[in-house]
Amino acid sequence: MAWQDRIDHQSPDRPNDQRTPFQRDKARILHSAAFRRLQAKTQVMYVGMHDFPRTRLTHSLEASQIGSGLVSFLRQQNQHPELTELLSESLVESLCLAHDIGHPPFGHGGEIALNYMMREHGGFEGNGQTFRIVTQLEPYTEHHGMNLTRRTLLGLMKYPVRYSQVKQHQLPTAVEHFRHLPSRQWLPPKALYDDDWHLVEWVFSEFDRATAEQFQSLQQPPSDSQHGSSRFRSIDAGIMEIADDIAYGVHDLEDAIVVGLIDQALWQQQVLPILNDLAGDIANLQPESLTQRLFAKEHYSRKQAIGGLVNLLLTSVTITESGIDTKQPLVKYQATLGSAEKQLLKTLKQFIFRWVIRKPEMQQQEFKGQQIVMELFDALSVEPERLLPYNTQHRYQQAIAEGKSGYRVISDYLSGMTDAYAARLYRELFNVNNTLPL
């Protein structure tokens, strides 16, 4: 099958290997350095902020489990047999495990910092960086990264459009000092890098021209002051995104309750009225009972409530037509949450964003991380062949020799760092207390 092809057809000799191509993709992701680094990258609460917060690694594992359960549920529903026989648990697990590996240190603060520093050099965006890692940077092969199957690469494209296609027409004014950066103005567009478009085209080559053009169409075009947005994604990417959203909206809610960032009074004020409005459209919601179990002293009660929420959302998903005029089932169909359940999940995500992520103590940490990333980028870009590690120096020199931007190599290097590694490098470069005595 063409969707199981790899761009590099030379594979290691593995006698008696009975795994499917998607099981092999999953193994390559699980054993990658990029995946391991997620254990030390911020999810919502910063690593070390509390005793056992979720990291991007645990979040990805939970999303993978939800994604697998969603595939199993959709198979049982068998709404569209031509699609049902194509659904793969291993594939969706792979997508959920890999979906965050392109995110830089310090969460969205790091992403904004790198996008600002790369503003004249193709930009930075976490999903685009994920595609770059799996297709080029992770050293499983010499030139093609993890060398994943075409369908897995398609599934990792949450936003299958070019960065330049959706970037706002006018960039905000650059700042004289990093501390003056208005961060919300430098959120990146959701897209893939122009630098990597030749690899995107290889994935799209299995589509006919009309399907490929429709697949890259926009929901909203860019304006002078606002990024545009993509319209479509594959069925696999859609399942992965739903699993990701459920893991974020429900499991990160659990973390916030456990460590006391939100309490029952705030929940009853901000969320309970909305749940009461939705209760008539969602069977088995029971807002008052859910509230009591979420904030009960007994941990098992909260666990049961969290599991019930996941199940309630997961079992509302149906397969609908995407709107693309094609016979290709991977993009002809999309996974869709029930309308009331979609509103419920949106409410949970907004609650986490407003009352956890936007808390001043959380934003102070994000601001600090953002400054670290920009300062490091600035220093490394001034003297890259002095400060970069030898292997990264080699990549930098190679990029320059090929007429490419060396800034992308610096961006790759910084985005791969964990929070702790970036902070340590910052101290080594700028903190006088780290200077050896004379």
Side-chain angles (χ1 to χ4, degrees):
M1 292 177 60
W3 286 108
Q4 295 180 0
D5 284 350
R6 304 178 191 277
I7 196 166
D8 185 346
H9 292 284
Q10 296 180 348
S11 296
D13 185 23
R14 302 281 164 78
N16 302 315
D17 189 347
Q18 301 300 311
R19 295 173 298 170
T20 68
F22 301 138
Q23 287 173 331
R24 292 171 64 193
D25 283 355
K26 179 182 174 182
R28 293 180 187 190
I29 293 164
L30 270 172
H31 293 286
S32 68
F35 180 72
R36 290 197 302 278
R37 290 190 189 104
L38 295 178
Q39 67 186 300
K41 289 192 178 186
T42 294
Q43 168 61 12
V44 171
M45 284 174 279
Y46 281 80
V47 177
M49 181 177 177
H50 289 284
D51 217 11
F52 52 94
R54 284 175 165 87
T55 63
R56 286 203 181 269
L57 182 85
T58 57
H59 162 76
S60 298
L61 290 170
E62 288 170 337
S64 179
Q65 184 274 322
I66 294 170
S68 176
L70 184 48
V71 169
S72 179
F73 172 74
L74 292 173
R75 273 182 172 164
Q76 291 172 5
Q77 302 306 300
N78 196 27
Q79 294 172 298
H80 301 278
E82 65 169 327
L83 175 65
T84 300
E85 65 182 16
L86 295 176
L87 294 177
S88 165
E89 279 141 346
S90 294
L91 170 63
V92 170
E93 286 170 352
S94 296
L95 302 180
C96 292
L97 292 171
H99 80 282
D100 266 354
I101 62 175
H103 279 262
F106 307 112
H108 289 292
E111 185 178 43
I112 289 167
L114 285 175
N115 187 50
Y116 175 73
M117 300 306 289
M118 290 291 291
R119 62 193 180 277
E120 302 291 346
H121 307 284
F124 180 88
E125 199 274 332
N127 297 282
Q129 190 68 20
T130 293
F131 186 81
R132 184 169 174 80
I133 289 170
V134 300
T135 56
Q136 297 173 76
L137 302 181
E138 184 66 30
Y140 186 86
T141 62
E142 184 177 0
H143 299 297
H144 298 105
M146 297 185 198
N147 196 31
L148 303 177
T149 61
R150 190 194 310 266
R151 184 170 163 189
T152 298
L153 294 179
L154 179 70
L156 285 171
M157 297 181 192
K158 287 178 67 175
Y159 313 102
V161 291
R162 289 177 184 260
Y163 188 98
S164 60
Q165 183 184 0
V166 290
K167 183 180 70 172
Q168 65 188 67
H169 298 149
Q170 300 293 330
L171 286 176
T173 304
V175 295
E176 294 185 6
H177 195 288
F178 295 147
R179 292 180 185 174
H180 300 164
L181 186 75
S183 60
R184 305 308 292 178
Q185 292 183 19
W186 288 96
L187 288 166
K190 301 297 185 183
L192 301 167
Y193 301 145
D194 290 55
D195 293 345
D196 304 331
W197 201 251
H198 62 292
L199 295 167
V200 177
E201 289 182 330
W202 177 80
V203 178
F204 288 170
S205 64
E206 188 57 21
F207 293 139
D208 61 72
R209 182 175 179 180
T211 299
E213 288 179 353
Q214 286 183 76
F215 189 59
Q216 298 169 69
S217 62
L218 301 184
Q219 181 74 33
Q220 175 180 307
S223 65
D224 285 349
S225 59
Q226 188 173 3
H227 298 311
S229 60
S230 59
R231 183 178 180 186
F232 298 110
R233 57 180 58 92
S234 73
I235 182 67
D236 301 316
I239 293 172
M240 175 262 285
E241 184 176 39
I242 289 174
D244 179 27
D245 283 348
I246 292 174
Y248 166 65
V250 178
H251 289 300
D252 289 339
L253 168 67
E254 180 185 13
D255 260 10
I257 293 171
V258 168
V259 302
L261 288 173
I262 57 177
D263 58 25
Q264 186 169 343
L266 182 64
W267 170 273
Q268 289 175 319
Q269 179 189 57
Q270 298 291 325
V271 180
L272 187 57
I274 300 174
L275 299 190
N276 285 329
D277 290 341
L278 293 172
D281 297 317
I282 303 178
N284 304 317
L285 180 54
Q286 300 178 344
E288 290 290 348
S289 174
L290 174 65
T291 299
Q292 295 305 316
R293 287 181 293 143
L294 281 174
F295 293 93
K297 293 181 179 179
E298 298 82 8
H299 291 298
Y300 71 84
S301 180
R302 181 168 50 254
K303 280 291 183 186
Q304 290 176 358
I306 292 294
L309 267 176
V310 170
N311 180 72
L312 185 152
L313 293 165
L314 186 153
T315 55
S316 78
V317 176
T318 58
I319 299 297
T320 59
E321 293 200 5
S322 66
I324 296 180
D325 183 16
T326 182
K327 294 181 179 180
Q328 174 51 256
L330 294 181
V331 295
K332 180 180 180 180
Y333 298 106
Q334 62 183 1
T336 306
L337 278 165
S339 58
E341 287 82 3
K342 184 183 294 185
Q343 183 59 44
L344 168 60
L345 185 54
K346 180 180 178 181
T347 298
L348 296 178
K349 290 172 62 179
Q350 289 178 337
F351 182 63
I352 291 294
F353 181 79
R354 171 66 181 85
W355 298 102
V356 179
I357 294 175
R358 298 300 292 177
K359 272 183 176 287
E361 55 265 44
M362 305 293 282
Q363 287 302 300
Q364 288 163 13
Q365 291 297 316
E366 184 173 296
F367 175 83
K368 181 165 64 175
Q370 185 175 300
Q371 300 303 307
I372 288 173
V373 171
M374 288 190 288
E375 293 281 3
L376 287 175
F377 195 107
D378 190 47
L380 295 173
S381 64
V382 171
E383 294 201 78
E385 297 182 58
R386 179 184 181 191
L387 298 177
L388 290 172
Y390 285 126
N391 62 334
T392 310
Q393 283 184 34
H394 175 71
R395 286 189 57 235
Y396 181 90
Q397 293 163 349
Q398 188 175 30
I400 297 300
E402 294 173 356
K404 299 176 182 176
S405 169
Y407 286 92
R408 180 61 69 190
V409 176
I410 297 172
S411 173
D412 291 339
Y413 174 56
L414 284 171
S415 69
M417 293 181 181
T418 63
D419 296 12
Y421 186 89
R424 184 165 66 249
L425 180 60
Y426 181 87
R427 288 194 300 269
E428 289 172 354
L429 288 177
F430 303 117
N431 190 337
V432 345
N433 292 329
N434 281 1
T435 305
L436 293 173
L438 299 177

